[in-house]
Every structure is written in structure tokens, then in C-alpha cells.
Amino acid sequence: NAVMAELEERFPEQKYEFDSKDGTIRGPDNVIYLSNLRRQVMNAPDRLDDIVKQFVTGLAFSADDAPAADQLDSVSELILPALKPFDYVRGGGPTSHVVSRDWLGGVIICYAIQGSKTVRFVLKPDVERWGIEMDDLHELAMENLARLEWPRKIEGSGPIGQRIAIISTRDSLDAARLLHPGLHEFLSPILGSPFLAGIPDRDTLVVFSSGNRRMFKRITAQLRKDYDRAAYPISPRAFLVTRDGIALARR
């Protein structure tokens, strides 16, 4: 009911209806699945209004009206990697057609075509129509990611060896920047090497120094809380960022 009310206010032209048979909300342009949202509300029922508003705002960003992708050449510079939990492509729903590859700790890499305001994920029929191999699609997306700028100012605090910072660009690509080939080079002067990172949701990349065990426990506990109440959760795990690449953090 809360989602329906928010949708009617934000998108009255869509005339959404609740389907009691499968628990989805359906409109002329999309089907909205509520299972993840229900889990978030159950974990934090006092935040119902905020969770629902964030969820519906995310639907607006994820609408399928990004640039037409009939030809790869028309969107090749707009394709970027997007991190998602493994469950995102599991089952027979519409997201099962999203192209993905395994990464680390139950996280997968999908590929998104970025528009000026919206994004559309690359689907298996797209790849077949373009005639592109998966490795080539991944390389293309990573090249585009490498061209993204870092924020000029990093919000953070703490003494050397105990520093924490939040990467905030407000472009819905913050978590994806964990894959950025320049991540270690950019942040190691601030955090030391190696350092740790967390991606509890699509819009969060938290990075922190790796030398303090108490700090590690405190931040990883917060990552779990943020993951449990996120509208677009990715992972509750921490990742170790080294000069040679990324691995799961083990403490």
C-alpha cells in the first residue's frame, strides 16, 4: 500500500495495479517485484516511509528508457559495469535475462547502458544481436569505467592507519567504482596499502585503512546493517584492495 501510494503520486500516468497472485505491482512499462523491499522493511519497520521513497526513486533511475541499443556503436561509450548480488539474476523473472559474470563473494558484474537520467541493463539478446563476446563486452565496460572522474574532495576522517572515507559522486555508480583500475593508486596515499572497501548498496563505496582490528569489526558491523536496510543491496562483506587487485577481506 505504501509503495502504491508513492507510485500514484510520482507516476500517475502509469496507472499501476497490484497483482495479488504473485505479489507484484504492474504498469504498462514494467513489473515491480517487492520481495527485497519487504525484507528491508521487516529489518527496519520504523523506516518504512524512507525505505519506500528510496525504492521508488530508484525505480525512476532504472527505467528502461536509456538510449536505443539496436547497434553497439550507438551505445559503446555508455556501457559501464554494475555490481549486483548473485540473486539479482537468479530465477525466472525479467532480470534473469541480464548479462552477468561472477566476481567475488556472491557479487556479480552486470553491464548497464547509461542515459542522461536513466539506465538499462545489457540483456542476452543485446549481446547476441551485437555479436560481441563476453570478454570483449567486459573490457569495453572497464575502459569506460576507467574514464570516470573521481570526486575532487573525499569526505573522510581519522589518523594515519585508521582512516575511513565515503566516495560520493551521486551518479549511482559509486559501488561500481570498486572495479576502477585506478582505485588503489588514487586512494592508497590517503588510506595506506593495502586498504579495505565495502559496497553495502548501489550508491555507497566506503573505504578504510586496514591496520586496526577494532576499526575493522566496527565498520564491517555497520556494513551489515546498511546492507540489511538498503533499497538496492549488494554485499555485506569487506574487500581487500591491493596493488595487484581485489580479494575478499579475512579477519
Side-chain angles (χ1 to χ4, degrees):
N1 290 338
V3 174
M4 283 293 295
E6 188 72 15
L7 288 170
E8 288 170 1
E9 180 179 348
R10 295 281 299 276
F11 312 109
E13 73 284 354
Q14 291 289 317
K15 301 186 184 305
Y16 283 107
E17 295 183 355
F18 178 69
D19 188 339
S20 59
K21 294 180 180 179
D22 59 7
T24 61
I25 294 176
R26 297 177 179 270
D29 298 330
N30 61 345
V31 178
I32 300 171
Y33 294 81
L34 302 174
S35 56
N36 283 341
L37 179 66
R38 183 178 183 277
R39 175 177 59 81
Q40 295 151 29
V41 172
M42 292 292 287
N43 286 328
D46 58 320
R47 296 185 59 250
L48 171 64
D49 290 343
D50 289 340
I51 292 172
V52 168
K53 287 182 181 296
Q54 185 179 4
F55 177 78
V56 174
T57 298
L59 291 176
F61 180 81
S62 301
D64 190 0
D65 60 354
D70 292 340
Q71 302 294 326
L72 176 59
D73 289 347
S74 65
V75 294
S76 61
E77 295 183 355
L78 304 176
I79 297 174
L80 290 159
L83 296 176
K84 291 288 184 182
F86 174 75
D87 287 350
Y88 184 76
V89 296
R90 188 174 65 180
T95 55
S96 63
H97 300 291
V98 171
V99 171
S100 66
R101 66 189 291 162
D102 292 341
W103 189 55
L104 288 173
V107 176
I108 59 175
I109 302 174
C110 301
Y111 303 92
I113 303 171
Q114 297 288 138
S116 58
K117 296 181 179 179
T118 60
V119 62
R120 175 170 91 72
F121 285 103
V122 175
L123 306 178
K124 294 173 184 176
D126 294 323
V127 172
E128 295 172 1
R129 185 174 62 256
W130 297 338
I132 188 172
E133 298 294 331
M134 278 297 302
D135 287 347
D136 294 332
L137 176 65
H138 180 74
E139 183 177 349
L140 173 63
M142 292 299 291
E143 289 175 355
N144 291 335
L145 179 67
R147 288 196 289 269
L148 291 184
E149 294 183 357
W150 290 100
R152 293 183 179 180
K153 183 179 180 181
I154 302 296
E155 298 292 341
S157 63
I160 294 176
Q162 300 181 43
R163 290 179 174 171
I164 179 173
I166 303 293
I167 306 300
S168 179
T169 60
R170 299 183 181 181
D171 60 4
S172 293
L173 292 169
D174 291 320
R177 280 178 167 80
L178 180 59
L179 301 174
H180 197 293
L183 178 71
H184 182 271
E185 179 182 0
F186 179 65
L187 291 172
S188 57
I190 302 171
L191 301 170
S193 179
F195 60 87
L196 297 159
I199 45 171
D201 60 73
R202 182 191 67 186
D203 301 315
T204 301
L205 171 57
V206 57
V207 291
F208 54 105
S209 300
S210 63
N212 187 293
R213 185 175 179 82
R214 181 179 299 177
M215 179 180 176
F216 177 86
K217 289 184 175 181
R218 175 172 58 85
I219 294 177
T220 51
Q222 186 62 48
L223 289 175
R224 165 59 71 177
K225 292 180 181 178
D226 292 343
Y227 169 82
D228 285 340
R229 64 190 182 190
Y232 298 93
I234 297 179
S235 174
R237 304 287 298 271
F239 298 86
L240 182 68
V241 182
T242 73
R243 189 182 309 276
D244 299 321
I246 299 174
L248 285 175
R250 303 184 184 280
R251 285 292 179 95

